[in-house]
């Protein structure tokens, strides 16, 4: 059984890589930094909202429990 011959062709660029390349050409460094900082803030806000929702769920579950008879 023979192994398939290796090809020396470069890997195709990903969509993300292509978009970053276009972004680098069209935007100045400061604008790129501002956009990335804004996106980081969005992700952080989403994380905080998720944490807040989970805490709300736990508090509501704790408040709705009936005391156990001893």
């Amino acid at each position: 059984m023979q192994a398939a011959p290796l090809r020396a062709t470069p890997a195709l660029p990903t969509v993300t890589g292509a978009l970053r390349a276009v972004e680098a050409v069209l935007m100045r460094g400061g604008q790129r930094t501002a956009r990335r900082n804004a996106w980081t803030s969005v992700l952080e806000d989403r994380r905080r909202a998720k944490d807040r929702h989970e805490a709300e769920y736990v508090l509501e579950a704790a408040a709705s429990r009936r005391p156990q008879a001893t």
Side-chain angles (χ1 to χ4, degrees), residues 31-49:
Q31 289 174 325
R32 251 189 318 217
T33 301
R35 172 173 264 179
R36 292 216 174 108
N37 287 345
W39 183 244
T40 300
S41 293
V42 167
L43 295 177
E44 184 65 19
D45 287 346
R46 288 179 181 175
R47 187 193 61 76
R48 269 184 274 172

Side-chain angles (χ1 to χ4, degrees), residues 5-56:
L6 295 176
R7 294 183 190 175
T9 57
L12 294 174
T14 63
V15 173
T16 304
L19 289 174
R20 286 188 192 266
V22 170
E23 178 188 47
V25 170
L26 295 177
M27 299 180 116
R28 295 181 187 166
Q31 289 174 325
R32 251 189 318 217
T33 301
R35 172 173 264 179
R36 292 216 174 108
N37 287 345
W39 183 244
T40 300
S41 293
V42 167
L43 295 177
E44 184 65 19
D45 287 346
R46 288 179 181 175
R47 187 193 61 76
R48 269 184 274 172
K50 181 182 172 200
D51 290 347
R52 194 168 42 250
H53 176 74
E54 290 173 356
E56 236 177 86

